[in-house]
């Protein structure tokens, strides 16, 4: 199965099993807006909780807030979003399709990079154990030529974007002979800037003065509250403020399911530090956040850092954590050193002092900020895309069965325990209900008595339930039950009285937190 086929199947699976639905589907949907179903919302809540507790419980100097989505419009002037939160867009006149000009160029660079990787792979096969990859990359004429093309185009693109030189961006597209993926033609319009913020009106008066924006990032709610939290929480620098909430962007190219949406959720943490110490904390948070990801156990080799060449208007250093999605390595989280850009600008535009008095140095200053910013929906997609497995199972009688199983980390799974009476009679349903009534206070449990046990297992494999508990006639005699493990399909008989202890051990989010 190709990665593209896998991704299509995953999208269909998300709908079939109540994880994600297209928004307003009965009206043919709304582009790049999605709803989470009964299993999706549980998974999303668990990921959110894993992040929240990693931030606010594991760090005594990080607290949370929940700021409003609507903010005073001056917020977005001060933050630079009104002036600079733009994407350069370009249309193909033949296909009438609209693209982000920088993405077209980045895709072109990725294609050349693929060519290099293919050359390296071929050479590695040819030379075997004696192959020195670094040396080969530095000396092979074809690889060197490809690399110098990439470097040159990258340099031109960064310079053009930083200078907002849109004519040069178009020239790069022409010089690289980039064609529209739909029409195959090079018939491009000029490149234009497009502001990504949604606006609306406050109250009933519709004049310009009442225009407000749906926040494009949650971070600004933290910045404008930083002194409120610092003073009321008696926080000392360095300290952090965490927040989870919706953000809105009128994305030009919204694609790849929930990867790029127009309404999405961010989990952001702003860490306030002494000026001059930001690089130390930037490195600290890069490493800490990578450990958070890897603690989920989805495969260390599926992650990598990507250092930004073109920095956002507020940053002096930035890296992404990228994950290997079915459509390639893509950003899931950004770690940004935002300097004092935001706080200084809010100070300027509001006319209110936003300085911190540092009792250790006896100085007042505007703190510098290192932020970690991760998309909740992207993390959801990351978990599901690595959890989705199609397996063939050889049964005892030699026949082959198939199953789709979501190997979601147990601590994040929507349903932790499925409880099955073996049959719908002989007092087994009553016994199963009794066991469930004891466990439901601690775990998300589901009771099922319909269909064969095999069918019930398959249904729960498909939504990622890590443990199925079967209550049979032996349970009535000796108070033991069978646990069936999702990933290995092995079964184990244990005393019912021990279930709670065994399960706490296996499904608690603290298991993940301890690995960070
Ligand atoms: N406050 C910094 C900030 O917003 P960003 O890199 O623009 O930085 C941070 O966004 C994260 O938010 C991204 O790494 C991504 O996971 C998520 N994100 C951004 N735009 C998104 C979109 N349109 N749909 C889904 N997630 C998005």
């Amino acid at each position: 199965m190709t990665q593209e086929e896998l991704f299509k199947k995953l999208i269909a699976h998300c709908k079939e099993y109540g994880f994600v639905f297209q928004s307003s589907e009965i009206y043919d949907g709304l582009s790049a807006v999605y709803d989470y179903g009964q299993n999706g919302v549980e998974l999303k809540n668990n990921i959110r909780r894993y992040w929240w507790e990693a931030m606010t419980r594991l760090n005594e100097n990080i607290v949370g807030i929940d700021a409003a989505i609507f903010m005073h419009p001056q917020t977005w002037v001060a933050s630079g979003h009104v002036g600079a939160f733009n994407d350069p867009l370009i249309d193909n006149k033949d296909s009438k399709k609209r693209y982000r000009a920088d993405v077209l160029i980045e895709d072109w660079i990725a294609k050349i990079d693929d060519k290099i990787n293919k050359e390296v792979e071929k050479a590695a096969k040819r030379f075997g154990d004696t192959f020195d990859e670094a040396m080969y990359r530095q000396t092979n004429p074809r690889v060197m030529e490809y690399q110098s093309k990439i470097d040159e185009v990258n340099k031109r693109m960064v310079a053009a974007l930083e200078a907002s030189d849109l004519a040069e961006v178009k020239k790069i597209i022409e010089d690289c002979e980039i064609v529209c993926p739909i029409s195959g033609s090079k018939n491009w319009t000029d490149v234009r800037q497009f502001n990504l913020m949604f606006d609306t009106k406050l109250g009933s008066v519709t004049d310009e003065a009442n225009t407000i924006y749906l926040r494009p990032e949650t971070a600004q709610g933290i910045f404008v509250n930083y002194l409120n939290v610092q003073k009321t929480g008696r926080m000392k620098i360095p300290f952090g403020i965490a927040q989870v909430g919706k953000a809105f962007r009128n994305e030009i190219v919204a694609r790849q399911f929930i990867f790029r949406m127009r309404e999405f959720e961010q989990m952001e943490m702003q860490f306030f530090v002494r000026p001059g110490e930001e690089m130390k904390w930037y490195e600290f948070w890069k490493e800490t956040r990578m450990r958070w990801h890897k603690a989920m156990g989805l495969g260390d080799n599926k992650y990598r850092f990507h250092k930004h060449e073109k920095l956002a208007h507020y940053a002096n250093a930035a890296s992404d954590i990228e994950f290997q999605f079915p459509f390639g390595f893509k950003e899931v989280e950004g770690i940004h050193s935002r300097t004092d850009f935001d706080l200084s600008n809010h100070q300027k535009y509001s006319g209110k002092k936003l300085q911190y008095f540092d009792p250790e140095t006896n100085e007042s200053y505007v703190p510098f900020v290192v932020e970690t910013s991760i998309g909740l929906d992207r993390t959801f997609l990351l978990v599901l895309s690595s959890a989705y497995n199609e397996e063939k199972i050889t049964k005892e009688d030699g026949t082959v069965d198939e199953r789709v199983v979501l190997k979601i980390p147990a601590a994040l799974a929507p349903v932790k325990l499925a409880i099955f009476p073996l049959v719908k009679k002989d007092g087994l349903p009553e016994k199963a209900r009794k066991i469930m009534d004891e466990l439901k206070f601690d775990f998300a449990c589901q009771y099922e008595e319909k269909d064969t046990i095999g069918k019930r297992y398959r249904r729960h494999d498909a939504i990622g339930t890590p443990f199925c508990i079967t209550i049979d006639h032996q349970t009535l005699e000796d108070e033991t039950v069978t646990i069936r493990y999702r990933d290995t399909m092995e079964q184990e008989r244990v005393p019912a009285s021990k279930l709670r202890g065994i399960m706490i051990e296996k499904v608690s989010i603290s298991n993940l937190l301890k690995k960070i």
Side-chain angles (χ1 to χ4, degrees):
M1 182 168 41
T2 65
Q3 289 296 296
E4 205 174 311
E5 285 164 350
L6 170 94
F7 192 46
K8 277 193 186 146
K9 284 191 173 184
L10 179 67
I11 295 170
H13 191 87
C14 278
K15 181 174 177 200
E16 190 178 347
Y17 287 93
F19 282 91
V20 181
F21 307 124
Q22 175 82 58
S23 160
S24 339
E25 195 185 356
I26 58 167
Y27 295 102
D28 297 331
L30 187 64
S31 168
V33 186
Y34 291 90
D35 299 336
Y36 287 83
Q38 67 279 16
N39 290 316
V41 71
E42 295 289 346
L43 173 59
K44 205 173 168 204
N45 284 344
N46 292 339
I47 297 171
R48 190 189 286 117
R49 211 179 117 212
Y50 172 43
W51 182 88
W52 186 260
E53 293 191 357
M55 284 297 173
T56 61
R57 273 207 202 173
L58 301 192
N59 300 285
E60 286 173 35
N61 57 353
I62 298 183
V63 293
I65 63 163
D66 182 18
I69 287 172
F70 291 140
M71 300 183 71
H72 193 285
Q74 279 297 93
T75 309
W76 305 109
V77 179
S79 69
H81 285 81
V82 169
F85 195 51
N86 300 318
D87 275 346
L89 66 85
I90 189 165
D91 293 284
N92 182 270
K93 292 182 195 163
D94 298 320
S95 67
K96 309 270 183 270
K97 287 281 171 201
R98 179 162 291 177
Y99 299 92
R100 261 180 63 177
D102 54 334
V103 172
L104 281 180
I105 299 171
E106 276 166 6
D107 286 350
W108 179 88
I109 289 174
K111 274 190 199 145
I112 306 284
D113 204 35
D114 274 353
K115 287 187 184 174
I116 296 181
N117 291 336
K118 281 201 183 113
E119 292 289 335
V120 171
E121 261 172 47
K122 268 198 289 182
K125 270 194 199 139
R126 211 166 50 239
F127 294 112
D129 290 344
T130 57
F131 182 57
D132 180 343
E133 184 178 326
M135 176 69 86
Y136 182 78
R137 282 178 183 270
Q138 280 163 24
T139 53
N140 180 276
R142 196 171 308 161
V143 170
M144 284 163 65
E145 194 189 316
Y146 286 146
Q147 191 58 52
S148 89
K149 259 191 197 172
I150 291 180
D151 294 344
E152 187 211 316
V153 169
N154 216 352
K155 204 167 141 207
R156 276 180 72 190
M157 179 179 74
V158 171
L161 291 174
E162 270 171 0
S164 287
D165 184 349
L166 301 181
E168 167 67 356
V169 176
K170 183 173 181 193
K171 182 89 180 25
I172 299 171
I173 290 175
E174 286 168 348
D175 291 350
C176 293
E177 302 191 342
I178 295 173
V179 297
C180 166
I182 307 288
S183 67
S185 88
K186 294 180 221 157
N187 196 5
W188 298 109
T189 61
D190 286 341
V191 179
R192 303 185 302 289
Q193 291 289 22
F194 176 78
N195 193 289
L196 300 184
M197 282 198 295
F198 285 101
D199 61 26
T200 185
K201 301 286 175 197
L202 191 70
S204 57
V205 190
T206 55
D207 68 21
E208 196 54 35
N210 290 313
T211 298
I212 56 167
Y213 300 98
L214 272 71
R215 66 181 177 195
E217 62 170 10
T218 58
Q220 298 304 324
I222 293 180
F223 287 124
V224 300
N225 277 299
Y226 118 91
L227 268 190
N228 285 337
V229 174
Q230 188 271 320
K231 287 191 174 139
T232 54
R234 293 180 294 121
M235 312 294 288
K236 285 209 176 81
I237 271 184
F239 72 91
I241 304 178
Q243 178 171 217
V244 182
K246 291 267 184 168
F248 304 83
R249 295 182 189 177
N250 199 358
E251 299 283 0
I252 303 165
V253 190
R255 57 180 173 187
Q256 284 149 339
F257 191 38
I258 56 171
F259 182 80
R260 192 175 301 287
M261 300 196 284
R262 297 202 164 101
E263 173 180 341
F264 57 99
E265 217 165 321
Q266 287 186 316
M267 306 191 284
E268 298 202 295
M269 193 279 295
Q270 320 300 131
F271 201 67
F272 300 88
V273 305
R274 275 194 195 128
E277 292 191 355
E278 71 275 13
M279 281 307 154
K280 178 179 90 183
W281 290 110
Y282 168 69
E283 291 302 331
F284 171 86
W285 280 109
K286 265 176 68 184
E287 298 309 321
T288 309
R289 292 303 304 146
M290 188 57 109
R291 285 204 303 280
W292 181 89
H293 282 274
K294 290 186 175 172
M296 285 191 278
L298 304 173
D300 290 4
N301 58 342
K302 289 188 176 163
Y303 293 96
R304 69 181 187 193
F305 283 115
H306 168 78
K307 192 167 177 278
H308 281 210
E309 297 298 336
K310 178 187 181 280
L311 292 170
H313 59 273
Y314 49 71
N316 68 355
S319 289
D320 294 336
I321 293 178
E322 293 188 338
F323 182 79
Q324 194 173 23
F325 287 96
F327 39 86
F329 270 100
K330 297 279 173 202
E331 170 190 346
V332 62
E333 171 156 10
I335 295 100
H336 311 126
S337 171
R338 286 181 82 130
T339 67
D340 60 350
F341 176 90
D342 303 85
L343 290 180
S344 291
N345 269 4
H346 286 308
Q347 187 167 257
K348 190 166 119 198
Y349 281 82
S350 68
K352 306 275 170 12
K353 256 195 167 177
L354 294 180
Q355 290 193 331
Y356 167 80
F357 175 73
D358 192 328
E360 281 179 37
T361 61
N362 262 334
E363 280 175 314
S364 288
Y365 53 79
V366 175
F368 272 42
V369 173
V370 174
E371 93 174 334
T372 72
S373 175
I374 176 170
L376 176 50
D377 313 86
R378 268 188 207 178
T379 313
F380 180 102
L381 184 59
L382 167 166
V383 169
L384 274 194
S385 60
S386 61
Y388 184 91
N389 276 279
E390 289 181 5
E391 291 181 352
K392 287 203 184 337
I393 307 154
T394 310
K395 294 201 285 194
E396 276 172 14
D397 63 4
T399 57
V400 177
D401 201 1
E402 281 185 9
R403 70 166 183 163
V404 173
V405 53
L406 295 185
K407 294 185 175 171
I408 300 172
L412 304 178
V415 178
K416 302 288 190 274
L417 297 181
I419 309 220
F420 307 153
L422 182 66
V423 288
K424 272 195 274 183
K425 56 183 183 181
D426 304 335
L428 296 186
E430 292 75 11
K431 183 72 186 167
R433 285 260 177 222
K434 193 159 172 276
I435 290 176
M436 174 151 154
D437 282 344
E438 283 159 16
L439 294 171
K440 70 183 179 192
F441 296 101
D442 295 299
F443 313 106
C445 301
Q446 251 181 35
Y447 175 85
E448 286 228 30
E449 58 179 27
K450 209 166 164 269
D451 297 321
T452 61
I453 285 282
K455 278 194 181 154
R456 286 182 256 173
Y457 282 158
R458 290 292 167 275
R459 275 205 293 274
H460 278 276
D461 286 344
I463 62 166
T465 307
F467 309 104
C468 294
I469 312 294
T470 304
I471 284 83
D472 57 16
H473 293 92
Q474 193 180 327
T475 312
L476 302 180
E477 286 164 22
D478 64 6
E479 292 288 331
T480 61
V481 296
T482 320
I483 306 177
R484 182 264 195 184
Y485 294 91
R486 176 194 68 198
D487 298 350
T488 59
M489 292 185 289
E490 277 166 10
Q491 302 195 10
E492 186 186 7
R493 195 135 203 129
V494 300
S497 58
K498 293 216 165 132
L499 266 180
R500 186 172 171 275
I502 295 172
M503 288 303 146
I504 283 184
E505 181 79 356
K506 294 187 190 299
V507 306
S508 166
I509 279 193
S510 56
N511 290 338
L512 298 186
L513 295 173
K514 281 178 194 158
K515 287 190 205 148
I516 296 173

PDB file of all heavy atoms in Angstrom, residues 409-421:
ATOM      1  N   PRO A 409      -1.247   4.940  21.705  1.00  0.00           N
ATOM      2  CA  PRO A 409      -0.703   4.737  23.052  1.00  0.00           C
ATOM      3  C   PRO A 409      -1.859   4.600  24.054  1.00  0.00           C
ATOM      4  O   PRO A 409      -2.809   5.398  24.024  1.00  0.00           O
ATOM      5  CB  PRO A 409       0.102   6.022  23.308  1.00  0.00           C
ATOM      6  CG  PRO A 409       0.434   6.548  21.947  1.00  0.00           C
ATOM      7  CD  PRO A 409      -0.690   6.129  21.039  1.00  0.00           C
ATOM      8  N   ALA A 410      -1.771   3.577  24.928  1.00  0.00           N
ATOM      9  CA  ALA A 410      -2.916   3.250  25.804  1.00  0.00           C
ATOM     10  C   ALA A 410      -3.399   4.473  26.589  1.00  0.00           C
ATOM     11  O   ALA A 410      -4.604   4.670  26.763  1.00  0.00           O
ATOM     12  CB  ALA A 410      -2.521   2.126  26.749  1.00  0.00           C
ATOM     13  N   ALA A 411      -2.479   5.312  27.023  1.00  0.00           N
ATOM     14  CA  ALA A 411      -2.868   6.463  27.848  1.00  0.00           C
ATOM     15  C   ALA A 411      -3.713   7.469  27.063  1.00  0.00           C
ATOM     16  O   ALA A 411      -4.420   8.279  27.651  1.00  0.00           O
ATOM     17  CB  ALA A 411      -1.621   7.149  28.396  1.00  0.00           C
ATOM     18  N   LEU A 412      -3.627   7.432  25.743  1.00  0.00           N
ATOM     19  CA  LEU A 412      -4.356   8.408  24.925  1.00  0.00           C
ATOM     20  C   LEU A 412      -5.614   7.818  24.284  1.00  0.00           C
ATOM     21  O   LEU A 412      -6.430   8.546  23.721  1.00  0.00           O
ATOM     22  CB  LEU A 412      -3.447   8.951  23.814  1.00  0.00           C
ATOM     23  CG  LEU A 412      -2.126   9.595  24.254  1.00  0.00           C
ATOM     24  CD1 LEU A 412      -1.320  10.050  23.039  1.00  0.00           C
ATOM     25  CD2 LEU A 412      -2.381  10.784  25.175  1.00  0.00           C
ATOM     26  N   ALA A 413      -5.770   6.501  24.362  1.00  0.00           N
ATOM     27  CA  ALA A 413      -6.877   5.839  23.644  1.00  0.00           C
ATOM     28  C   ALA A 413      -8.232   6.381  24.108  1.00  0.00           C
ATOM     29  O   ALA A 413      -8.429   6.648  25.296  1.00  0.00           O
ATOM     30  CB  ALA A 413      -6.795   4.337  23.895  1.00  0.00           C
ATOM     31  N   PRO A 414      -9.195   6.546  23.171  1.00  0.00           N
ATOM     32  CA  PRO A 414     -10.517   7.089  23.531  1.00  0.00           C
ATOM     33  C   PRO A 414     -11.225   6.214  24.559  1.00  0.00           C
ATOM     34  O   PRO A 414     -11.805   6.709  25.517  1.00  0.00           O
ATOM     35  CB  PRO A 414     -11.296   7.089  22.220  1.00  0.00           C
ATOM     36  CG  PRO A 414     -10.305   6.918  21.131  1.00  0.00           C
ATOM     37  CD  PRO A 414      -9.066   6.305  21.714  1.00  0.00           C
ATOM     38  N   VAL A 415     -11.214   4.899  24.332  1.00  0.00           N
ATOM     39  CA  VAL A 415     -11.829   3.965  25.286  1.00  0.00           C
ATOM     40  C   VAL A 415     -10.688   3.113  25.836  1.00  0.00           C
ATOM     41  O   VAL A 415      -9.892   2.580  25.071  1.00  0.00           O
ATOM     42  CB  VAL A 415     -12.866   3.064  24.577  1.00  0.00           C
ATOM     43  CG1 VAL A 415     -13.466   2.062  25.557  1.00  0.00           C
ATOM     44  CG2 VAL A 415     -13.963   3.903  23.930  1.00  0.00           C
ATOM     45  N   LYS A 416     -10.627   3.000  27.142  1.00  0.00           N
ATOM     46  CA  LYS A 416      -9.511   2.252  27.732  1.00  0.00           C
ATOM     47  C   LYS A 416      -9.865   0.770  27.888  1.00  0.00           C
ATOM     48  O   LYS A 416      -9.050  -0.098  27.656  1.00  0.00           O
ATOM     49  CB  LYS A 416      -9.161   2.814  29.121  1.00  0.00           C
ATOM     50  CG  LYS A 416      -8.803   4.297  29.117  1.00  0.00           C
ATOM     51  CD  LYS A 416      -7.451   4.510  28.477  1.00  0.00           C
ATOM     52  CE  LYS A 416      -6.932   5.910  28.662  1.00  0.00           C
ATOM     53  NZ  LYS A 416      -7.386   6.871  27.682  1.00  0.00           N
ATOM     54  N   LEU A 417     -11.090   0.520  28.302  1.00  0.00           N
ATOM     55  CA  LEU A 417     -11.506  -0.850  28.579  1.00  0.00           C
ATOM     56  C   LEU A 417     -12.846  -1.151  27.932  1.00  0.00           C
ATOM     57  O   LEU A 417     -13.796  -0.381  28.105  1.00  0.00           O
ATOM     58  CB  LEU A 417     -11.737  -1.044  30.085  1.00  0.00           C
ATOM     59  CG  LEU A 417     -10.575  -0.885  31.037  1.00  0.00           C
ATOM     60  CD1 LEU A 417     -11.049  -1.140  32.451  1.00  0.00           C
ATOM     61  CD2 LEU A 417      -9.498  -1.870  30.675  1.00  0.00           C
ATOM     62  N   ALA A 418     -12.896  -2.269  27.205  1.00  0.00           N
ATOM     63  CA  ALA A 418     -14.197  -2.736  26.711  1.00  0.00           C
ATOM     64  C   ALA A 418     -14.557  -3.940  27.572  1.00  0.00           C
ATOM     65  O   ALA A 418     -13.712  -4.806  27.822  1.00  0.00           O
ATOM     66  CB  ALA A 418     -14.085  -3.129  25.253  1.00  0.00           C
ATOM     67  N   ILE A 419     -15.803  -3.967  28.042  1.00  0.00           N
ATOM     68  CA  ILE A 419     -16.197  -5.036  28.970  1.00  0.00           C
ATOM     69  C   ILE A 419     -17.267  -5.897  28.310  1.00  0.00           C
ATOM     70  O   ILE A 419     -18.323  -5.389  27.923  1.00  0.00           O
ATOM     71  CB  ILE A 419     -16.719  -4.416  30.284  1.00  0.00           C
ATOM     72  CG1 ILE A 419     -15.669  -3.414  30.750  1.00  0.00           C
ATOM     73  CG2 ILE A 419     -17.086  -5.482  31.308  1.00  0.00           C
ATOM     74  CD1 ILE A 419     -15.359  -3.311  32.147  1.00  0.00           C
ATOM     75  N   PHE A 420     -16.954  -7.182  28.140  1.00  0.00           N
ATOM     76  CA  PHE A 420     -17.850  -8.085  27.414  1.00  0.00           C
ATOM     77  C   PHE A 420     -18.309  -9.244  28.293  1.00  0.00           C
ATOM     78  O   PHE A 420     -17.462  -9.990  28.789  1.00  0.00           O
ATOM     79  CB  PHE A 420     -17.120  -8.767  26.242  1.00  0.00           C
ATOM     80  CG  PHE A 420     -16.422  -7.852  25.275  1.00  0.00           C
ATOM     81  CD1 PHE A 420     -15.322  -8.339  24.557  1.00  0.00           C
ATOM     82  CD2 PHE A 420     -16.850  -6.557  25.045  1.00  0.00           C
ATOM     83  CE1 PHE A 420     -14.666  -7.534  23.638  1.00  0.00           C
ATOM     84  CE2 PHE A 420     -16.191  -5.750  24.123  1.00  0.00           C
ATOM     85  CZ  PHE A 420     -15.094  -6.239  23.420  1.00  0.00           C
ATOM     86  N   PRO A 421     -19.622  -9.459  28.435  1.00  0.00           N
ATOM     87  CA  PRO A 421     -20.043 -10.776  28.937  1.00  0.00           C
ATOM     88  C   PRO A 421     -19.925 -11.757  27.764  1.00  0.00           C
ATOM     89  O   PRO A 421     -20.257 -11.386  26.629  1.00  0.00           O
ATOM     90  CB  PRO A 421     -21.505 -10.540  29.323  1.00  0.00           C
ATOM     91  CG  PRO A 421     -21.948  -9.379  28.491  1.00  0.00           C
ATOM     92  CD  PRO A 421     -20.741  -8.569  28.140  1.00  0.00           C
TER      93      PRO A 421
END
